[in-house]
Amino acid sequence: MDALGLLRPAASVSGLPAAHVPHAASGFALGDHAGRAPAAPAEGPGVVASASSGPLQRRFEPYQNNGGTVLAVAGKDFCVVASDTRLGLGYSIPSRKVSRILKMTDKVVLASSGMQADMMTLHKTLRMRLVKYQQNHQKDMSLTAASQMLSNMLYTRRFFPYYTFNVLGGIDEKGEGWAYGYDAIGSHEKVSAVCSGTGQTLIQPVLDNQIEFKQQWGAPKVDLSLEATVELIRDAFTSAGERDIYTGDYVEICKITKDGVEVEEFQLKFD
Amino acid sequence: MVFPCLPLLRHAASLWYGSLCGRRGYTMPKPVKTGTTIAGVVFADGIVLGADTRATSGSTVFEKFCEKIHYIAPNIYCCGAGTSADTESSTGLISSQLELHRLATGRESRVSTSLTMLKRMLFRYQGHVSAALVLGGVDLHGPHLYTVYPHGSTDRLPYVTMGSGSLAAMAVFETGYKDDLSLEDAKNLVYRGISAGIYNDLGSGGNVDLCIIKRGSTEYLRGFATENARKYRRPSGYAFAPGTTAVLSSKFTRPLKEIAVVEEAGVAEAAVDGAATPATGEMDTTT
């Protein structure tokens, strides 16, 4: 499982030849835990190691995946942004309570999963830019402005990306709720519901079905209320916590309405 | 010096195809591994074995409540960590062989017999059968507790842990183990060790299973501690009204003979005699 598959550029940043390191260390690599079966390498059982693999070149691995799931669901006049708070590394849990959420303004909230260090730096840089904008323009950044700024910031690091998978949610100038989903280098799309992180494949189909009524031909498309949305999100995170080892512990749920941002904490399983 | 013999001939084909996959760039399906915390402790009257119940495939939980304590003999049980298929097959195979052995010898099985069978098989496969086992039982010579590693080495010890959560469990054991524990203390120690693995290791989770083996009796406590049941369910549930899935076309086919659903046999015979045979044919409805 190559965590960098999509991110690794063809050219090498460090100037060294971009050697293909078979199964380079990544956050998901099985560590040297005692008792772990060492004879089942990533190639899988039944594969005889070929003698033709040459000398192994190890190089500095700048990224690690700390796991976690984030999502943003937009309603008619509100938006809910939620993330779990578990920090994982390999098979360990360095922390059960880290915040992946940045409250950018009273109307815009960002949540980022992926590498914790890059997430913290990105959030710090964003905060600086937000303050500068506020001082220059005498008003807070709007949702559309913030979404474009984040995209630009991520793309400036096109060849050594922030290893973050972001979702942005909030209320725009017209008072409508919208969510934006990003990839690591800034491609973004305005949507009603988006999910990112290790639990993405578990939660996104549920959001597609229940919020956007995909694959429900005959069903009437109703707008969910804020409370109904939050109940769905609690359910989605509970389910993701059952099946994804990197999702669990607590969930931070930010409800953005015209009155501001309210934060709720919801407990998941610790196993 | 025993040369490592070739694995059984019937596995040679699958080994060949597997290497072909690697060379042609096909990815092998990810095996289901147990992640796991397994542990065993010798106490005053016998053995207590413990295990968690999570099976993972990569970072996805494959099964939340699987059984990792395998039956070997009435007086011998074995916890398995590593690749699920490997632990289940190897323990199942040795369990069958032991039963035949019991019939041939007319005696209760010894733990060292199952140990030797397991280690000889695993060594023959040179570590490719990824099974790390905690084998425990009580026989005529008393309680025995062994670990078996995937390459075929074994250890005999008073307390053992294996799997990705073995460090967490061993930390608890090193703090709490004493010789000649009582049954309750031993159960509590193993429960705390497995719980340490469940909560601190991402590869382990779910419930705690225990197995207590004493001279003449075995108690398999499946779900000794079930603290990790799902906590939240959306109160409104999920409802899909008829018509949610679009019906593009329908086709009805009449059965050739009228089928009568009856409650009693006597009534059935009367119904069959009296039933008319309707015209056969198909009724097509296309929307």
Side-chain angles (χ1 to χ4, degrees), chain A residues 216-258:
Chain A
Q216 288 199 60
W217 307 101
K221 291 184 179 4
V222 267
D223 281 327
L224 268 72
S225 70
L226 175 61
E227 198 39 54
T229 308
V230 173
E231 275 177 11
L232 175 68
I233 288 174
R234 287 193 206 118
D235 216 26
F237 267 102
T238 310
S239 302
E242 295 274 316
R243 291 291 176 176
D244 175 30
I245 62 178
Y246 288 104
T247 302
D249 295 332
Y250 300 95
V251 182
E252 225 180 310
I253 304 179
C254 294
K255 306 174 217 180
I256 309 152
T257 55
K258 61 172 172 35

Side-chain angles (χ1 to χ4, degrees), chain A residues 37 96 217 235 242-243 269, chain B residues 61 64 130 199 228 238 244:
Chain A
R96 294 201 192 270
W217 307 101
D235 216 26
E242 295 274 316
R243 291 291 176 176
K269 291 199 305 195
Chain B
V61 176
K64 297 186 269 190
S130 174
Y199 293 113
N228 289 308
Y238 295 89
T244 299

Side-chain angles (χ1 to χ4, degrees), chain A residues 34 36-37 39 45-46 86 91-92 96 209-210 216-218 231-232 234-235 239 242-245 269-271, chain B residues 28 33 54 59-62 64 127 130 163-164 166 198-199 202-203 206 228 230 232 234 238 243-244 246:
Chain A
R36 279 219 66 83
R86 173 175 281 176
Y91 275 96
S92 306
R96 294 201 192 270
N209 182 258
Q210 293 292 311
Q216 288 199 60
W217 307 101
E231 275 177 11
L232 175 68
R234 287 193 206 118
D235 216 26
S239 302
E242 295 274 316
R243 291 291 176 176
D244 175 30
I245 62 178
K269 291 199 305 195
F270 282 18
D271 71 348
Chain B
M28 296 280 275
K33 299 182 92 82
R54 172 179 286 184
S59 70
T60 308
V61 176
F62 210 78
K64 297 186 269 190
S130 174
S164 57
S166 60
I198 285 173
Y199 293 113
L202 293 174
N228 289 308
R230 187 192 171 110
Y232 180 84
R234 182 165 92 156
Y238 295 89
T244 299

Side-chain angles (χ1 to χ4, degrees), chain A residues 69-118:
Chain A
T69 309
V70 294
L71 61 76
V73 177
K76 197 141 173 283
D77 56 357
F78 64 89
C79 190
V80 188
V81 177
S83 88
D84 77 318
T85 62
R86 173 175 281 176
L87 187 77
L89 185 60
Y91 275 96
S92 306
I93 306 176
S95 174
R96 294 201 192 270
K97 229 176 188 173
V98 296
S99 181
R100 297 199 160 88
I101 290 192
L102 174 71
K103 184 181 150 228
M104 292 173 75
T105 70
D106 280 333
K107 295 205 161 58
V108 181
V109 172
L110 170 71
S112 321
S113 71
M115 184 169 141
Q116 184 70 7
D118 274 355

Side-chain angles (χ1 to χ4, degrees), chain B residues 110-138:
Chain B
R110 302 186 192 192
V111 189
S112 53
T113 316
S114 58
L115 179 76
T116 310
M117 288 175 169
L118 281 165
K119 69 149 68 177
R120 292 246 169 102
M121 191 197 102
L122 291 174
F123 181 75
R124 202 152 36 99
Y125 282 89
Q126 287 291 291
H128 290 291
V129 174
S130 174
L133 311 168
V134 168
L135 178 71
V138 181

